[in-house]
């Protein structure tokens, strides 16, 4: 059963040229509070072996790994939109 739709963005602006993948769309999901977002961020960081943080209700993961992030989110039951390659 799908858990909801998340949107991926890739950004480099104001980050010294380094790419990050931003996971957004949590505000439209029921039952996703700040604790659930932080827990999902921790799980994704551990699975990818990268750094990251939660910023304003979005997860920011270091590195240009949009395809891997999308695959991991789909495995958790989310529909993924946005940049996935």
């Amino acid at each position: 059963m799908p858990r909801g739709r998340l949107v991926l963005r890739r950004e480099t602006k104001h980050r010294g040229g380094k790419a990050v993948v931003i996971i957004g769309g949590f505000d439209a999901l029921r039952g996703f509070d700040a604790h659930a977002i932080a827990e999902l961020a921790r799980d994704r960081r551990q699975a990818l072996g990268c750094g990251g943080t939660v910023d304003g209700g979005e997860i920011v993961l270091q590195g240009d790994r949009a395809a891997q992030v999308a695959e991991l989110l789909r495995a958790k039951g989310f529909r993924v939109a946005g940049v996935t390659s």
Side-chain angles (χ1 to χ4, degrees), residues 11-72:
E11 286 186 4
T12 57
K13 196 177 232 181
H14 304 294
R15 300 180 193 283
K18 302 207 188 279
V20 296
V21 175
I22 300 175
I23 306 170
F26 293 104
D27 52 348
L29 300 180
R30 284 191 212 159
F32 255 85
D33 57 359
H35 177 71
I37 294 170
E39 191 173 313
L40 182 65
R42 181 178 45 83
D43 291 345
R44 298 308 89 197
R45 285 192 315 260
Q46 288 177 351
L48 293 168
C50 69
T53 188
V54 176
D55 183 27
E58 296 181 322
I59 299 173
V60 179
L61 297 172
Q62 295 175 349
D64 191 3
R65 299 175 165 193
Q68 291 173 317
V69 172
E71 183 180 318
L72 290 170

